[in-house]
Amino acid sequence: MSASTRPLRSHQRSLAELVAALARGEAAEVTDILAAVTPGGGKSLLPVIAAARLIGAGVVERVVWVVPRDSLRLQAEEAFADPAWRHALSHALSVRAADNTPDPARGLAGYVTTYQAVAAAPALHLAEMKRHRTLLVVDEVHHLPALDAGAPEGEAASWSRALLPLFRQASLRLFLSGTLERADGRRILGLPYREGERAALPDIAAPGWAVIGYSRAQALAERAVLPVNFGALDGEASWLEGGRTEGEARVGPHRLSGPAPSATTRPALFTALRTGFARDLLHEAFLATRRLRAARRAARGLGPAEPARGLGKLLVVAPDQARAQAYLAMLRGWMPPEQGARDVRLAVSSEPDAHGALAAFRLTPEPAVLVTVAMAYEGLDAPEVAVVAALTHIRSRPWLEQMIARATRIDPHAGDYAAQHALVFHPDDPLFARFRARIEDEQETALRQRRRERPAAARDPRPLPQTDDGIVPLESNALGLRYALLRPGPSLALVRPEAADPPPLPPSAAERQLRARVAAMVTAQAVEDEAELRVPHGGRLAHRYNAVLKRLFGNKARAAMTAAELEAALAWLERNRLQDHLHLLDGDARYAWSARRRWAGERRAAGG
């Protein structure tokens, strides 16, 4: 369906109505617009809608669109050039993907730049905005931390420092994001927060702000994104610890899956992504993509080598660049050499043609497979991605949401909506399972499962070199694959009988359940923070986190807490990170090692 006949989605209509009111002078009090749009929900059209109406009415003269990566800079330029939307919105505006040379707009309606470019030449961009009444669009604003006193410096903070004067100079600001939380718990630059709340969601009722939301449930209800099938692969892993010999310190085999995160979750996942398990998961994703492409070729009567759009593509997200290279070699090894060179490409920052590979993957029938680490996980507009191999150790919710959203875009070349779905293969570890469960709760989904027996794969006995974690991956093997279909809520799917409200628990049982949930959340934060290198490794991080939580709640042990106090602890853990409060252990001899390591880490980060 063409853009000229396809209706705008609800958040796009809301923005169109708001900017129409601004153009008429009826919403003069609005100076900031926040569009919180689920990944894949279509936020890239919002700047086009806003600029087309506001420039046409003379409210602003220019649009400056700032994005976090160079690949998104080119996509933003394409959004204004899309002929179908130019016709549908009756606009003739063009913007330029600019660098830091003078006159970045070159007589056009504006330009697109990156955070890094603004940080490299802040005076250039500020001078441009002073010459024209400007609509400033800040894409993926959650990448910009607020400049709080005492907060650690870094690349993201330097971006914030350079962009802040542009925020102040703009006539109108449009903030775009698929998530309103940062992994480090810090506030987001430019967004309004209530006083006294250190790390919370923005204040959507702040004066001068208009907030437009578009959740995953709304997007599914409007058929704006695709439902997701999760293929969860379980397995076992063995490794060496501390650089010792195999006879001294072999650990495992340990299962990847489990009811809750534990001390073996992180090293088992680390090992699995670097040994035989990764090969097995990648092969499952490869076969699924091949079956999908063969079925779509057959339905259209296409030959085996005939290029065509809409056949479905595979995105492989690796844990690091070395493994990305290894996965590339595996994939090409499963194909004839000529086909492998044509159909499988690599996009990592160390590759000189990474952006070319990314553009070819987005815009041409081949390549059909892209291997990357982080370049393509956020904001990549490639609707032909139908399968994702999630071979990454990162388990933060915003990161995973962005990753699966690469496959939830509707492919206009792939037929009816009902015939499309996203398929995400992932390790069946408890942290990923918790992420999936959160999405189910958020969407009030009906989860349908079916199991498929699969013989255990052969073990790969070749260990890889020791990592900085002190873990030497030895081997892993896949044990079984199960599928879970994630679909919309009750309005679009049947509710299971077991989803009805359970009978109330006796007080003591309810308290036990609450204590178990608190313990699981503390352990999850500890495992996730170690995996993402946000705190020093070693010792018993979950033990230290439990001590932090106890201090935060009046030095009261969980066993002595009432149900209401346990509920309060759960609510706090949902919104905050325990790593931000490790200073509460300072001066306690039992945690002196932790305090010394944290202090040394802060000194290193500050360049001391």
Side-chain angles (χ1 to χ4, degrees):
M1 186 181 294
S2 70
S4 58
T5 58
R6 183 173 64 229
L8 294 175
R9 297 166 185 173
S10 58
H11 66 295
Q12 295 164 347
R13 290 196 304 272
S14 296
L15 181 69
E17 293 165 1
L18 174 60
V19 294
L22 285 166
R24 294 191 300 266
E26 297 173 0
E29 72 281 1
V30 174
T31 57
D32 297 88
I33 304 170
L34 171 61
V37 179
T38 188
K43 68 178 182 295
S44 61
L45 187 62
L46 298 180
V48 184
I49 294 170
R53 190 59 183 263
L54 296 174
I55 292 177
V59 175
V60 297
E61 299 169 317
R62 285 269 185 93
V63 56
V64 174
W65 188 346
V66 190
V67 298
R69 282 179 309 286
D70 196 55
S71 58
L72 298 184
R73 182 175 65 103
L74 300 175
Q75 287 181 201
E77 185 183 48
E78 292 168 7
F80 274 87
D82 186 292
W85 284 117
R86 288 172 76 87
H87 175 73
L89 299 174
S90 301
H91 85 85
L93 303 180
S94 295
V95 298
R96 179 173 175 267
D99 51 23
N100 281 343
T101 55
D103 190 18
R106 305 289 164 86
L108 300 179
Y111 64 93
V112 189
T113 187
T114 63
Y115 295 165
Q116 296 91 331
V118 173
L124 168 70
H125 299 281
L126 183 59
E128 284 295 313
M129 292 186 61
K130 286 181 176 178
R131 293 190 189 102
H132 305 277
R133 295 191 307 277
T134 303
L135 166 66
L136 177 64
V137 180
V138 186
D139 209 343
E140 308 296 358
V141 67
H142 59 274
H143 285 292
L144 300 173
L147 296 170
D148 299 324
E153 287 293 323
E155 183 181 43
S158 70
W159 297 343
S160 295
R161 209 170 296 284
L163 276 158
L164 190 56
L166 275 63
F167 283 20
R168 294 169 177 157
Q169 183 62 40
S171 300
L172 181 69
R173 292 166 290 273
L174 172 58
F175 299 98
L176 308 176
S177 183
T179 176
L180 296 181
E181 296 177 273
R182 287 177 50 84
D184 60 8
R186 293 173 66 179
R187 293 182 176 187
I188 298 170
L189 183 72
L191 300 194
Y193 293 87
R194 292 187 180 92
E195 290 298 324
E197 295 186 7
R198 184 183 180 281
L201 291 175
D203 178 9
I204 62 174
W209 282 81
V211 179
I212 296 170
Y214 194 57
S215 68
R216 191 188 310 276
Q218 288 174 287
L220 283 164
E222 293 185 356
R223 295 193 164 195
V225 298
L226 297 172
V228 183
N229 282 344
F230 286 109
L233 194 65
D234 196 7
E236 293 180 333
S238 300
W239 60 92
L240 303 180
E241 284 190 338
R244 291 174 288 179
T245 64
E246 181 168 352
E248 294 177 332
R250 182 185 177 98
V251 179
H254 283 285
R255 290 288 289 267
L256 278 176
S257 62
S262 68
T264 63
T265 297
R266 184 184 63 81
L269 180 60
F270 183 94
T271 298
L273 297 178
R274 289 159 175 81
T275 49
F277 175 91
R279 180 196 58 234
D280 295 331
L281 189 148
L282 186 60
H283 199 243
E284 289 285 354
F286 170 77
L287 293 177
T289 308
R290 189 169 68 176
R291 288 192 295 268
L292 174 65
R293 290 174 65 85
R296 289 183 177 178
R297 283 185 184 280
R300 298 187 199 178
L302 299 172
E306 190 174 350
R309 303 298 300 269
L311 298 179
K313 295 188 176 187
L314 168 63
L315 178 66
V316 180
V317 183
D320 53 53
Q321 295 196 29
R323 298 316 304 161
Q325 294 278 1
Y327 298 162
L328 177 76
M330 289 180 195
L331 287 159
R332 287 181 170 173
W334 296 329
M335 303 178 183
E338 183 178 343
Q339 181 188 5
R342 181 192 70 225
D343 280 358
V344 187
R345 297 288 297 276
L346 180 68
V348 295
S349 58
S350 61
E351 287 291 303
D353 192 34
H355 289 293
L358 204 57
F361 183 71
R362 290 182 51 235
L363 303 173
T364 62
E366 280 91 21
V369 183
L370 185 73
V371 184
T372 186
V373 178
M375 282 187 69
Y377 97 93
E378 181 182 71
L380 174 70
D381 186 11
E384 288 181 87
V385 173
V387 184
V388 173
L391 289 161
T392 172
H393 64 276
I394 298 176
R395 289 295 180 265
S396 72
R397 182 179 178 181
W399 206 99
L400 292 177
E401 284 182 334
Q402 289 284 352
M403 182 185 65
I404 68 171
R406 298 318 102 207
T408 61
R409 283 167 163 76
I410 299 166
D411 184 356
H413 303 286
D416 294 339
Y417 176 91
Q420 300 184 48
H421 65 268
L423 180 56
V424 177
F425 288 91
H426 66 90
D428 197 13
D429 61 277
L431 293 173
F432 201 108
R434 175 168 292 166
F435 158 73
R436 189 174 63 210
R438 284 181 177 181
I439 295 180
E440 294 161 14
D441 291 342
E442 177 184 284
Q443 299 180 180
E444 299 180 321
T445 55
L447 185 66
R448 302 170 184 171
Q449 296 183 348
R450 67 177 185 272
R451 296 186 180 274
R452 181 160 67 88
E453 292 299 324
R454 181 178 182 276
R459 293 177 180 266
D460 183 352
R462 295 168 295 177
L464 297 174
Q466 182 175 339
T467 70
D468 292 339
D469 284 357
I471 297 171
V472 181
L474 291 178
E475 60 188 3
S476 64
N477 63 301
L479 296 177
L481 177 67
R482 64 184 177 88
Y483 288 96
L485 179 61
L486 187 62
R487 290 201 179 279
S491 61
L492 295 178
L494 296 177
V495 179
R496 296 174 296 163
E498 62 268 28
D501 291 336
L505 292 172
S508 60
E511 290 171 7
R512 283 196 300 272
Q513 189 177 85
L514 289 168
R515 284 195 294 270
R517 288 174 59 193
V518 170
M521 290 184 71
V522 170
T523 303
Q525 286 200 21
V527 172
E528 189 172 326
D529 288 350
E530 283 193 340
E532 296 179 27
L533 303 177
R534 292 196 293 218
V535 293
H537 290 211
R540 297 175 58 194
L541 185 58
H543 179 59
R544 299 198 295 277
Y545 274 10
N546 277 315
V548 169
L549 187 66
K550 184 177 179 181
R551 282 159 175 73
L552 286 165
F553 284 84
N555 264 336
K556 197 169 188 179
R558 285 202 295 270
M561 285 185 176
T562 65
E565 289 169 333
L566 291 165
E567 290 279 9
L570 283 170
W572 188 93
L573 287 166
E574 284 285 353
R575 300 189 308 271
N576 300 279
R577 304 295 303 185
L578 290 162
Q579 63 162 341
D580 296 330
H581 301 271
L582 282 171
H583 62 276
L584 296 176
L585 302 182
D586 291 350
D588 191 326
R590 292 171 296 176
Y591 306 102
W593 180 91
S594 169
R596 286 197 302 271
R597 287 293 298 272
R598 180 173 59 80
W599 179 80
E602 291 171 353
R603 286 286 302 277
R604 286 194 298 272

